[in-house]
Amino acid sequence: AECRALVEEAKTWHLLPDRRDTSAGHRMRSRRSAGTTQVTVSVGGEDDKVVMRSVEFWDPITTVWKTLACLPFAVSKHGLVVSGQGKLYMAGGEYPDGSASRAMWRYDPVLNAWHEMAGMNVCRSELGLVMLDGCVYAVGGWEGRSRLDSVERYDPETNSWQFVPPLKMAVTSPAVVAYDGALYVTGGAILEDGDGIELVQRYDNKP
């Protein structure tokens, strides 16, 4: 009965606009649009060598850090990328015991919840993660014993990963950007001491 009354109230509001002045209640007041705000999100990581699972975001309007749903586990040295639909993808990383992860998780800002996606084919920490043409690419990284030259592509439509052509040189912690249908993999480390390189590697997704 209560639901029916609400439906009738809504119908009256939309179908009989001349009665809005007399039928307006607290539910019919005009509301300001919540709008959207670009924020900075911090996910996991390390604090004085303690691996964390906390997630926070910086609101530039209120200039305050606020908390979001925690990760299901503590992780550092992972890859993060934001999709065009406002979803946040996290892949790989290093667990507190030092082992590399192959897990892939997606954060839904509407539900404030993390959802597990299909895992990568290879465990990777210190990887590059980027979106290109609606897919997520995991580039290089460290699998626990050696640097990786392999690259994987995740398709959100099929929730699956597949390998694409590898890098010319295996690297960890590269800077990866997508531009005009191609991936540009810049720098990274190739030696045990972690020194960076000036190499730029390019992957073209166009046929």
Side-chain angles (χ1 to χ4, degrees), residues 7 33 37 44 74 89 92 96 132 158:
V7 171
S33 172
T37 302
Y89 288 93
L132 175 62
T158 61

Side-chain angles (χ1 to χ4, degrees), residues 56 75 110 115 145:
E56 303 174 81
V75 68
V110 175
H115 303 283
R145 295 183 300 271

